[in-house]
Amino acid sequence: MQTSYEEPLATRIASEAPTSAPHATPAASPQIDAKPLLAGLAASAALAACGGGGSSDGDGNGNGTPTGPDIPPTTIGSHPAPLNDREAARFLLQAQFSASPREISELRATSYAEWLQRQFSAPPSLGGWEWLNQRGYGEVSSSTAYYDNSYPGDYMIWYQLMQSPDALRKRVALALSEIFVVSLSGLDLSWRSHAIAWYWDQLVANAFGNYRTLLQDVTLNPAMGYYLNTRGNQKENPATGRQPDENFAREVMQLMSIGLVMFNPDGTAQRDSAGKPIDSYTQSDVTHLARVFTGYDYDQSRNSPTTVPGSSRTVPSTAFTRLPMALNEARHSTLAATFLGTTIAAGTPGAAALKTALDTLFNHPNVGPFIGRQLIQRLVTSNPSPGYIARVAAAFNNNGAGVRGDMRAVIRAILLDDEARSPAGLTQPAFGKLREPMLRFVQWGRTFGLSSAQGSWKIGNLSDPGSRLGQSPLRSPSVFNFFRPGYVPPSTALAASGAVAPEFQLVNESSVGGYLNYMQGVIRNGIYVNAPELPNNASTSNNGFDIKASYVNELALVGDADALVARLNLLLCAGQLSAATVKLITDALKTTNITAASPDNARRDRVAAAVLLVMASAEYLIQK
């Protein structure tokens, strides 16, 4: 771990006001005395920087079983309802993106299980595909060329995460997007933003559905077809030596269903007599399964091509982006396919072959522990105990009514398990997870009333680690997600203990500074937008900070630093800031006298400083 940069970084946090767009000219960001905070901020930066560097040997597939927290297996339901606001906020921050006082109060008036049932019963909110059309992103024009641009997809997903009322559904869908990965950065087809929006909408639709349906929707989705080469994949041709593309066949097993090694029901790896993990599939399995995924292409049956005005170019309509890919039997392999103990006879029609293949994957004993563990990691803790994984896998295998793959049962098992709900986890060093940068950003927006004055929601790609968040939803750098489920930060105490910390794969010196500097700017000033009155990425005289947080309730407490920080501690951290950290922040805020009568800029400076300092603290960055 490098430490030489820490003091300059902490000083820079308090003195720089980075812009949030190339043409931004922000107002002054909050300036506070950094000296009392150097130690705390340096510790936060050092904590995050510990995860820098390259990958380790952990791959989340059983090659080295991680050590989970020492919490004994208990019966789900020992903590049926929150006993106080902190417990309610903790649950909400695992289950969704944020926790408001209203949501805390509503949860405390019921039980965890009843709250979940209400979320399951609520209809999905406006989808991403329809939102794009409402904003005019389906227009065919050479001046906007939406059919060739990906930025509307960024606006779409940020709007979905920031504004959708069905937060549990969207939170689970976001977790699924990190398992069933399609990246907007890897799409180069017409109407790529519509394609990724429909992919997102299918994850949302299946978040409370059944894993088998999810698996089929993902397989036939046009965006996935492009991303992992199923679209246009053809049968073998002995004359030319062509063989079916194996990309999707390999990744659907490795990443989306069974993993690399055989698992016990509790997620530990099965081992042979020599102690080596047993492979879950072979290259032969990949080669044969690839035959099943041949013959598919975009369904253009509803296509109404349009000539781009002023040019000779013709573009398809957006319809194909939300139709399952269509099968052309003439291009489908007629060879027999033997994989994972199943044989599909030669000459089997493509649709029947696909059903058998997906049924085989769905019924594989690895799916429950493999998918369950990753969802636990995304929502609750990086190092779930074998008992926790086993209980979630059991819920996947049987929802209590004989149904396999019920996602609602899986979500209930994850969020209601005593390992998630027990206060014992708060004092377990290996319990919890590093908050992903995009989740911190969404939490900030939802907690403090982020709104777009002109409805632009032009929040773009925030992937740059040096000047933005270092992460942007639906923008994974590869099919392997932003991080691997078994990533171990090298040369750390985590590595020494055998624990994993997936999100730390995003972390290095640049990303630590980039996150803090970017958040300092947007917390105080909002997000700078070019042409908020227009959907396209233009620049007009109306450029400005169209997207801002309101801080209505925080400004009402601005004269009382203790009350302000107490509120932020509850809403952002579920009350998990230590007394020492609370004192460090409140003492810093009190170095400047602010009252309800102070100028608006001064009052907002204090609120912004308080929010930034909480979101920079180590106790915030680690969610427990």
Side-chain angles (χ1 to χ4, degrees):
M1 185 195 309
Q2 297 182 20
T3 58
S4 61
Y5 73 99
E6 291 172 356
E7 185 167 341
L9 173 61
T11 304
R12 189 163 70 249
I13 293 165
S15 63
E16 291 188 359
T19 62
S20 56
H23 304 292
T25 308
S29 289
Q31 303 296 312
I32 59 175
D33 183 2
K35 293 178 181 178
L37 297 162
L38 288 180
L41 288 175
S44 298
L47 169 72
C50 284
S55 177
S56 72
D57 293 333
D59 61 12
N61 288 292
N63 296 327
T65 303
T67 302
D70 186 20
I71 300 175
T74 52
T75 302
I76 294 175
S78 295
H79 299 81
L83 299 178
N84 51 52
D85 287 355
R86 295 185 303 278
E87 288 189 359
R90 184 188 185 206
F91 174 85
L92 291 169
L93 294 180
Q94 292 172 346
Q96 50 181 33
F97 301 103
S98 59
S100 70
R102 177 186 58 80
E103 290 170 321
I104 291 171
S105 177
E106 289 175 353
L107 175 56
R108 291 203 61 190
T110 183
S111 67
Y112 295 127
E114 289 171 348
W115 184 91
L116 286 174
Q117 188 55 47
R118 291 175 187 173
Q119 307 308 308
F120 294 150
S121 300
S125 59
L126 177 70
W129 203 87
E130 289 296 343
W131 185 87
L132 287 175
N133 288 338
Q134 287 185 7
R135 289 287 297 159
Y137 290 118
E139 176 194 41
V140 176
S141 169
S142 59
S143 63
T144 57
Y146 295 136
Y147 42 79
D148 281 342
N149 276 294
S150 61
Y151 66 82
D154 292 311
Y155 303 164
M156 175 278 302
I157 189 59
W158 284 123
Y159 173 84
Q160 290 277 298
L161 299 180
M162 291 287 190
Q163 292 290 292
S164 297
D166 48 343
L168 173 65
R169 184 186 292 271
K170 295 300 194 295
R171 180 67 190 89
V172 174
L174 187 64
L176 292 174
S177 78
E178 296 186 271
I179 300 171
F180 301 86
V181 176
V182 169
S183 175
L184 189 55
S185 300
L187 297 182
D188 190 20
L189 69 159
S190 295
W191 301 111
R192 62 204 64 170
S193 291
H194 277 75
I196 198 69
W198 186 247
Y199 188 75
W200 166 254
D201 287 347
Q202 290 207 300
L203 296 181
V204 171
N206 286 299
F208 296 164
N210 192 282
Y211 173 85
R212 175 60 175 80
T213 305
L214 170 64
L215 193 60
Q216 178 152 331
D217 285 348
V218 164
T219 299
L220 297 180
N221 183 276
M224 177 61 83
Y226 181 92
Y227 192 61
L228 289 184
N229 307 333
T230 311
R231 180 255 169 174
N233 192 13
Q234 298 186 49
K235 66 182 180 181
E236 59 287 328
N237 185 337
T240 63
R242 183 185 67 214
Q243 295 295 320
D245 187 284
E246 297 179 353
N247 204 4
F248 183 74
R250 179 178 294 103
E251 306 309 350
V252 74
M253 289 192 289
Q254 178 181 349
L255 303 176
M256 306 175 201
S257 58
I258 68 174
L260 288 174
V261 305
M262 291 300 299
F263 292 117
N264 296 308
D266 64 3
T268 56
Q270 295 182 18
R271 299 179 182 274
D272 61 20
S273 57
K276 295 179 60 178
I278 300 171
D279 292 337
S280 60
Y281 63 88
T282 67
Q283 178 56 43
S284 176
D285 291 319
V286 175
T287 299
H288 281 241
L289 182 59
R291 297 170 185 169
V292 175
F293 302 121
T294 55
Y296 290 92
D297 209 331
Y298 303 144
D299 184 347
Q300 297 287 8
S301 62
R302 302 181 196 175
N303 185 22
S304 301
T306 302
T307 300
V308 178
S311 76
S312 60
R313 178 177 177 181
T314 299
V315 297
S317 68
T318 60
F320 81 94
T321 64
R322 64 172 181 173
L323 295 175
M325 289 189 296
L327 174 65
N328 181 343
E329 287 285 2
R331 294 187 171 188
H332 179 73
S333 176
T334 59
L335 297 181
T338 299
F339 55 91
L340 303 177
T342 295
T343 295
I344 296 174
T348 300
L354 181 67
K355 181 181 185 305
T356 298
L358 297 185
D359 284 346
T360 300
L361 293 174
F362 173 61
N363 288 298
H364 194 284
N366 266 18
V367 180
F370 182 67
I371 297 298
R373 175 175 180 254
Q374 290 187 73
L375 289 174
I376 295 170
Q377 287 184 314
R378 298 288 65 74
L379 300 177
V380 178
T381 182
S382 297
N383 293 281
S385 70
Y388 191 1
I389 296 172
R391 293 187 291 273
V392 171
F396 179 93
N397 295 340
N398 186 339
N399 68 351
V403 176
R404 179 179 177 82
D406 181 355
M407 294 299 295
R408 296 187 184 195
V410 172
I411 295 165
R412 285 191 191 97
I414 291 171
L415 294 174
L416 301 184
D417 193 272
D418 274 0
E419 197 159 316
R421 301 274 55 83
S422 171
L426 297 175
T427 57
Q428 291 286 341
F431 186 85
K433 60 191 286 288
L434 178 69
R435 297 180 197 267
E436 296 174 55
M438 63 183 178
L439 291 178
R440 302 173 215 161
F441 183 62
V442 173
Q443 183 190 19
W444 164 74
R446 294 182 76 107
T447 300
F448 302 114
L450 194 71
S451 64
S452 174
Q454 299 200 46
S456 73
W457 288 103
K458 290 185 174 182
I459 306 175
N461 181 1
L462 302 185
S463 298
D464 185 351
S467 62
R468 298 291 190 271
L469 294 179
Q471 187 186 33
S472 210
L474 304 180
R475 284 279 190 180
S476 169
S478 79
V479 72
F480 297 103
N481 192 29
F482 302 100
F483 40 76
R484 301 300 299 273
Y487 177 77
V488 181
S491 304
T492 63
L494 289 168
S497 68
V500 303
E503 293 84 356
F504 272 82
Q505 194 169 357
L506 283 171
V507 180
N508 54 50
E509 289 83 349
S510 294
S511 68
V512 171
Y515 159 71
L516 293 171
N517 287 329
Y518 178 72
M519 289 305 297
Q520 175 176 267
V522 300
I523 286 170
R524 175 57 178 87
N525 303 311
I527 298 163
Y528 190 90
V529 168
N530 286 338
E533 76 279 14
L534 299 173
N536 57 298
N537 221 2
S539 180
T540 69
S541 59
N542 290 326
N543 295 353
F545 291 95
D546 174 69
I547 305 173
K548 295 182 179 181
S550 65
Y551 299 122
V552 171
N553 296 302
E554 290 68 38
L555 288 168
L557 299 174
V558 73
D560 186 341
D562 295 301
L564 174 61
V565 174
R567 175 183 174 83
L568 300 182
N569 185 14
L570 175 64
L571 301 186
L572 294 176
C573 312
Q576 293 169 21
L577 291 182
S578 67
T581 299
V582 169
K583 185 176 188 304
L584 187 69
I585 295 173
T586 54
D587 285 352
L589 297 177
K590 291 174 182 177
T591 58
T592 302
N593 185 37
I594 299 293
T595 69
S598 297
D600 184 67
N601 280 342
R603 296 166 65 242
R604 290 183 179 276
D605 283 351
R606 169 171 278 192
V607 169
V611 173
L612 175 66
L613 293 175
V614 171
M615 295 186 73
S617 68
E619 292 151 354
Y620 166 77
L621 293 173
I622 301 300
Q623 175 181 327
K624 284 188 172 288

